[in-house]
Amino acid sequence: MRLLRSLIKPVVAYAFLAGSISLLAEGGVVNPYWVQILELACIVAISAQGLNIIYGHTGLFSLGHAAFYGIGAYTAAYLMKTYGGQSQAAFFAALLAGGGAAAAVACLIGLPTLRLTSDYLGIATLGFGIIMKVVFDSADRFLPELGGARGMTGIAKMTTVPWVVFFLLASLLVVRNLIHSSYGRAILSIREDEIAAETMGIDTFQYKMVGFVAGCTFAGVAGGLYAHLYAFLHPSNFDFFKSIDILVIVVLGGLGNMSGTLVASFGWIFLLEGLRVVLPPGYVEFRWVLIPVLLIVTMLLRPQGIFGAREFPFLRGKVYR
Amino acid sequence: MEYFLQQVINGLQIGFVYALIALGYTMVYGIVRLINFAHGDVFMIGAFIGLYAVERYQWPLTAVFVSAVVGCTILAVLIEQLAYRPLRHAPKIASLITAIGVSLFLEYFTSLRQVFGPHFYSFPRPFPVVRWNWHGILVTNIQAVIFFVTVFCLLLLQFIVFRTKMGRAMRAVSFDYVTAGLMGVNVNVVISFTFGLGAALAGVGGVLYGIAYPQVNTFMGFMPGLKAFTAAVLGGIGNIPGAVLGALIMGQSETMVSAYVSSAYRDGIAFVILILVLLWKPTGILGTPRTEKV
């Protein structure tokens, strides 16, 4: 009964969001291009929540988030292409498999590297990201379907508004409940002071693994959704700049701030696309001149992130409610 | 055997260029604990200044190097004062994101048609190329120039860091910048000087890179920058001989993999080595282990 009651609010929110956006899209109020951007923003938000667990909550500096995003994307796309066809159930399974693959790789990478501290962990994960880019680039040598540097085609367009909204809400629920559980408190204590946490009897390595693997799973699921949104994958979609994109979102939103990450994901994606529309033709290449300037100015004015420490009511823990 | 030695020479060529970039990363990190992502782009600006000096103005080689050094130094000091200094007491990640912002800005601003343009530009050879054949191993005068210029820069750097008053101040600030400030060291000047010194080396590196691999582009600084930084971490960040050692390892491994395995894995191998080394020595080959204070 309690479980059912706790599910009412998310289900209502889901029905409202997915229904209204779908209606607006079907009715032609919002054109398909912007619907696709909205879907992309939701996907990026899922991936960013993942990095927020890793860096914002656990305090593990990761510069290789896009690699896990890519692992999820390629796994899901490969499974769907070879076994799935057009079935919705298979799509769901493929997304979970993408998340699972990202989690498995995160375990393997985390075991040795999570013993490193701060910047060294950042460089090790950055290195892992570059290695994975090289792997994606030459993936057609061992699995021709993956396309390698030419890109992967023939992926079904399965990602729709209901799917992305479902996974976005699910990810928010999981992050919120994780952070406000005893696991979450252990994870936050590691970020605040690892030595003190260890002194209090917390198995820091185990909880770092929990945070890292959970965050990478989010990236994997988001990657699967991304693969079936544009129906085309290219290794350059998962390079160092994509990791930086997500990191920028998490930092702009405020480290460890779920609401901030959510808002910053939408803001960032719509800023990128909006500038394309706003700038006069012939000046579109000024987009990437303006964005870094905005980024630098924001950092100079608000180094703690746009949201600081405030959270939306539905993302607060019970104690504060 | 000849093939192998030839590859060693090629590896040294790229390794020396990486070393010049890596020194800037390692010195800046040693002093302000910041991964200065914009450093690779300062290197790119150095290459472009070299391009203009050689192609448009046909300056002599010395003047080309001097102009690149001066241009890069001014740029780096400006970046430090405008973007990094206001954030020195903010969380470290804010400076890092700002560094990434500066890096993106430099890349995309200079790739505008109104500035350098988005294409690849060929870098003219400032002197005729001479090849020496020594028992089947080819050595060019380009490699000789790279070798002598780099060694000269390293000796000069060693002199500045260990034999001058500014060098002593740099070492003091890197050791403990609060205490150094209390002892009367002007920390701001020292930090600006370090950024400038690193950028000067990157400028020399940019010109040498342009001469050796005669094609420049405004995004060319990214990969060499990343690899040079990795080299600095590999050798033990904050450690000057470590940066050179790391860069040489980087150059060799990359060249050997291209020569014997496949050039597709060239960018990956350096990072495989990095991860393996970090697992064995978490602070790099020549780095000193950090003691944790409770």
Side-chain angles (χ1 to χ4, degrees), chain A residues 17 23 75 99 114 116 119-120 137 143 150 209 269 272 292:
Chain A
L17 280 175
L23 268 180
T75 309
L114 288 186
L116 298 172
D119 283 346
Y120 290 97
D137 266 327
L143 272 179
R150 277 170 289 120
M209 277 297 268
I269 296 296
L272 288 187

Side-chain angles (χ1 to χ4, degrees), chain A:
Chain A
M1 219 29 227
R2 228 181 112 228
L3 182 73
L4 280 180
R5 211 179 311 140
S6 67
L7 277 176
I8 291 177
K9 267 195 222 164
V11 169
V12 170
Y14 170 69
F16 174 71
L17 280 175
S20 57
I21 299 169
S22 303
L23 268 180
L24 286 176
E26 306 258 314
V29 184
V30 188
N31 75 37
Y33 174 72
W34 286 103
V35 174
Q36 203 172 37
I37 301 298
L38 183 74
E39 287 170 326
L40 177 66
C42 292
I43 293 169
V44 167
I46 299 170
S47 173
Q49 290 296 347
L51 185 64
N52 196 22
I53 302 180
I54 298 174
Y55 187 37
H57 295 123
T58 322
L60 301 169
F61 188 33
S62 167
L63 287 171
H65 203 58
F68 297 100
Y69 191 52
I71 290 170
Y74 274 102
T75 309
Y78 176 74
L79 289 176
M80 272 305 272
K81 198 173 160 185
T82 38
Y83 309 108
Q86 297 281 328
S87 134
Q88 297 288 332
F91 180 51
F92 186 68
L95 290 177
L96 294 187
V105 176
C107 272
L108 284 179
I109 289 300
L111 269 178
T113 57
L114 288 186
R115 298 185 193 275
L116 298 172
T117 48
S118 65
D119 283 346
Y120 290 97
L121 178 64
I123 298 307
T125 46
L126 184 157
F128 173 69
I130 307 260
I131 293 168
M132 280 316 292
K133 168 83 170 25
V134 172
V135 171
F136 294 146
D137 266 327
S138 46
D140 51 340
R141 293 184 188 194
F142 48 91
L143 272 179
E145 288 92 338
L146 296 186
R150 277 170 289 120
M152 180 175 182
T153 51
I155 308 166
K157 277 202 176 186
M158 299 295 289
T159 304
T160 53
V161 171
W163 275 120
V164 289
V165 173
F166 170 75
F167 276 103
L168 179 60
L169 287 179
S171 71
L172 286 175
L173 269 184
V174 171
V175 181
R176 185 193 72 180
N177 293 353
L178 176 75
I179 292 312
H180 296 303
S181 69
S182 61
Y183 272 90
R185 284 191 295 278
I187 280 173
L188 291 177
S189 75
I190 294 174
R191 176 189 72 185
E192 293 304 325
D193 190 332
E194 197 175 330
I195 296 172
E198 213 162 345
T199 321
M200 301 308 284
I202 289 166
D203 184 347
T204 52
F205 182 71
Q206 184 200 328
Y207 283 102
K208 278 192 204 172
M209 277 297 268
V210 169
F212 188 65
V213 172
C216 292
T217 313
F218 278 50
V221 172
L225 286 166
Y226 177 81
H228 296 87
L229 176 65
Y230 289 107
F232 177 70
L233 287 181
H234 191 271
S236 68
N237 295 333
F238 308 108
D239 62 4
F240 176 67
F241 287 106
K242 289 297 176 296
S243 299
I244 291 299
D245 255 6
I246 307 285
L247 181 69
V248 164
I249 289 171
V250 170
V251 175
L252 279 183
L255 284 178
N257 185 308
M258 293 168 260
S259 324
T261 306
L262 186 65
V263 172
S265 312
F266 282 86
W268 180 254
I269 296 296
F270 278 92
L271 174 73
L272 288 187
E273 291 305 318
L275 279 179
R276 225 193 266 273
V277 179
V278 173
L279 290 174
Y283 286 89
V284 180
E285 66 268 27
F286 275 80
R287 202 160 66 115
W288 277 103
V289 179
L290 288 174
I291 288 167
V293 173
L294 277 175
L295 191 62
I296 295 169
V297 171
T298 319
M299 276 295 115
L300 290 177
L301 297 178
R302 274 193 82 80
Q304 73 277 44
I306 301 166
F307 263 60
R310 276 161 294 166
E311 290 278 10
F312 289 138
F314 63 94
L315 288 172
R316 286 181 203 144
K318 282 230 168 63
V319 183
Y320 311 106
R321 232 181 267 168

Side-chain angles (χ1 to χ4, degrees), chain B residues 98-242:
Chain B
T98 307
I100 292 168
V102 172
S103 163
L104 288 174
F105 177 77
L106 287 177
E107 286 173 10
Y108 284 93
F109 179 71
T110 52
S111 78
L112 292 176
R113 276 166 293 141
Q114 294 82 345
V115 192
F116 295 152
H119 308 290
F120 280 90
Y121 303 95
S122 66
F123 194 105
R125 291 266 149 86
F127 45 80
V129 180
V130 182
R131 285 192 177 77
W132 299 295
N133 191 331
W134 186 76
H135 297 293
I137 301 163
L138 280 178
V139 183
T140 62
N141 57 349
I142 293 175
Q143 286 162 336
V145 166
I146 290 182
F147 177 79
F148 285 115
V149 170
T150 307
V151 169
F152 172 74
C153 287
L154 291 179
L155 291 177
L156 191 66
L157 183 70
Q158 197 74 6
F159 176 77
I160 292 175
V161 173
F162 290 99
R163 290 279 183 278
T164 63
K165 209 171 163 188
M166 189 48 110
R168 188 181 302 158
M170 279 169 68
R171 283 179 287 141
V173 172
S174 144
F175 191 73
D176 182 341
Y177 90 88
V178 177
T179 314
L182 293 174
M183 296 292 133
V185 176
N186 190 337
V187 177
N188 279 334
V189 171
V190 173
I191 292 178
S192 289
F193 180 82
T194 310
F195 270 87
L197 187 60
L201 294 173
V204 173
V207 175
L208 289 177
Y209 191 89
I211 296 174
Y213 308 92
Q215 219 180 28
V216 294
N217 173 270
T218 60
F219 298 97
M220 67 182 254
F222 173 67
M223 242 325 166
L226 214 52
K227 284 181 187 160
F229 178 67
T230 311
V233 176
L234 189 66
I237 196 141
N239 182 317
I240 289 177

